[in-house]
Amino acid sequence: MMRSILLVDDDPHILKALTRHVGWDNLELTIAGSAVNGTEALELFRELSPDLVMTDVYMPGMSGLELTETLREQNPELPIIILSGYEEFENARQAMRWGVSHFLLKPARVEEIEGVLKEVLLELDAQEQKRRLEERYKLEIGRTLPYLRERLLMELLTTRYSAEELPEERLGYLQIAIPQQLAAASIQLNRPAPAKKLKEREWQLLRFGAGNICRETLQRRLAGHPSIQGHVLDYSEDMLVMLLLDGEAEELYALLREAVQEATDKIMNYIQLQAYAGIGSVKQAMHELIDSYLESREALLSAEYQGTGLVYTYEQYGGKSQWTLEDYSRLLQQWNEALLGKDPAAIWEIWEVILTRLREDEQNAIQDIQTVCVGLFTALMYFWNACCPVRTPPMTMPQFLQSVSDFPTWKSLTEWMGRIFPAYLKAAFSEMGVKRNRLVDSVRKYVEANYNQEISFMGIAQELHVHPKYLSQLFKRITGENFVSYLNHYRIERAIEYLQSGQHMVYEISEMVGFNNPAYFSQVFKMITGRSPSEYLNA
């Protein structure tokens, strides 16, 4: 790369010598021009824009020091070489105040001049390389920063960090607000029945649309709140997570609820997808984001249990119950009753509830858990003897007692139980040859009898004496859809029958099939059928 230099000296012989004897071509440097004083040099600099300047100190009019000061004001990075006599060197040192670090003392040999010029040119090359790297870095970071930021936020939802592992410098680099308050909401997307037959591309378009709705809604809600930063993450195939950082707790929480409610409404109305949301409580630091997120997922489970709305909060529906040995006694009683009834579905169901409870139990001592396990196995042995009297059990009671006492932790014991008991049950059921699902049938019958009333899935689970979380998972596994979706479809089927009879108004039918809000009824109706109730009524 060819660069240019401006030479400034009031002695024409020096200018002539510099022009003739310095190896400008080898240096890849051209002389842009020459001047005999500072004033002339300043005019030429503005006209020619050279890459560097070499100037004498004492000149008529504007001196070399005054020229240096003026050039520095216009271009702080401009390389300037001071050419000074021995007796003037102390004065020339004043130029150091303006960042001049290159000096030549008269009379200077050509080798010295070329050496200083090479040094200056190397510095210019280094500066140019640095500038290019910075430009490329800014370009690349503009592309990758959103990805890096989203990756960290996703990690914060799934990995528990300490406060020390999230320094302000790291968050600032990723342009993540350092919050005084933060909260998370989980938005679950459920495919309605017609959408289950959609091709993958069509489903992905719906997911993309749902994500856009959430982002646009959040951006609009935060337009008047510059201190609050919002993010929407594509957490999984059917889950979006909305985050708010910073702001005052009350304001932040209210904004999150409003944004989530609006987004779920729009998803249902605009792209005909069911969407339910759970909102976690407000936390105080970034390393607590995982807690708010987990709370939002726990609140989201209420969508399976309640079915009365779209948005659920942890404060209202969340919170984990603390189990005691008395609670285990009730489970053992249900376990005994299920085994005595020889109902495989009921037995599997209560076993899954018990196993889930054991896996989550960190508060009871290992001795207490061992006692529970012995009680479970005792009942199982009676069941085995009743079902398979001529078959040898996979493990005898003495063997079981010895094995149980060998496990030092509740976790290792529970994992072992999770392998042993299913082996017993499968062997027994192969003898019985009975396959039915009493609980799911009971839920369906309950819906048929009570669809015109307000139905609580949690209430159904309590009547059936099973844990609502497990009943929800079982119902979805057997029927292929969650309870709320099943209930809505059943109600809409009954609504269509009423509409086709032509004897009722839409708002009347809404109440007749269990919807207290006619507008919500119309939304669900159109989402499931693709038509509004009035279109059926007038058909």
Side-chain angles (χ1 to χ4, degrees), residues 191-198 489 527-530:
R191 300 191 195 194
K196 291 181 179 179
K197 299 180 181 179
L198 290 178
H489 278 80
M527 180 187 63
I528 291 176
T529 67

Side-chain angles (χ1 to χ4, degrees), residues 362-424:
E362 302 181 28
Q363 59 181 347
N364 289 310
I366 179 63
Q367 294 81 5
D368 294 335
I369 302 299
Q370 289 171 339
T371 300
V372 172
C373 292
V374 171
L376 292 170
F377 190 79
T378 300
L380 183 60
M381 287 300 298
Y382 282 112
F383 173 71
W384 177 271
N385 292 331
C387 297
C388 318
V390 298
R391 290 188 58 182
T392 302
M395 180 177 289
T396 64
M397 177 61 79
Q399 291 173 330
F400 182 85
L401 293 174
Q402 180 60 49
S403 298
V404 166
S405 63
D406 290 339
F407 288 98
T409 65
W410 64 268
K411 186 174 182 179
S412 58
L413 173 58
T414 300
E415 293 304 316
W416 179 74
M417 290 281 290
R419 296 190 299 271
I420 295 300
F421 272 51
Y424 263 87

Side-chain angles (χ1 to χ4, degrees), residues 138-197:
K138 290 178 182 178
L139 179 62
E140 294 298 325
I141 202 63
R143 296 172 180 169
T144 61
L145 190 60
Y147 166 76
L148 295 174
R149 181 167 54 241
E150 181 168 327
R151 189 174 70 176
L152 176 60
L153 291 173
M154 288 285 285
E155 287 180 5
L156 291 175
L157 299 182
T158 57
T159 305
R160 188 168 295 282
Y161 285 84
S162 65
E164 294 74 18
E165 292 174 311
L166 294 171
E168 292 186 4
E169 182 179 359
R170 182 182 182 188
L171 298 176
Y173 172 76
L174 296 177
Q175 298 178 10
I176 297 176
I178 301 172
Q180 299 172 347
Q181 312 286 344
L182 58 87
S186 296
I187 301 174
Q188 175 79 47
L189 305 176
N190 292 324
R191 300 191 195 194
K196 291 181 179 179
K197 299 180 181 179

Side-chain angles (χ1 to χ4, degrees), residues 34-49:
S34 60
V36 296
N37 57 58
T39 303
E40 182 182 348
L42 190 58
E43 293 177 358
L44 283 175
F45 178 82
R46 292 168 178 168
E47 177 184 348
L48 303 173
S49 300

Side-chain angles (χ1 to χ4, degrees), residues 342-374:
K342 297 183 180 180
D343 185 340
I347 293 171
W348 278 120
E349 290 158 4
I350 188 63
W351 166 244
E352 290 292 340
V353 172
I354 293 171
L355 183 61
T356 299
R357 196 55 255 168
L358 288 171
R359 285 173 172 168
E360 295 177 351
D361 195 347
E362 302 181 28
Q363 59 181 347
N364 289 310
I366 179 63
Q367 294 81 5
D368 294 335
I369 302 299
Q370 289 171 339
T371 300
V372 172
C373 292
V374 171

Side-chain angles (χ1 to χ4, degrees), residues 185-187 253 256-265 275-279 299-300 302-303 308-314 316-317 520:
S186 296
I187 301 174
Y253 193 70
L256 184 58
R257 288 200 61 172
E258 292 168 1
V260 169
Q261 184 70 62
E262 181 181 346
T264 51
D265 287 340
Y276 303 99
I279 302 178
L300 189 59
S302 298
T308 57
L310 301 176
V311 178
Y312 302 83
T313 63
Y314 179 77
Q316 186 175 3
Y317 295 102
Y520 181 62

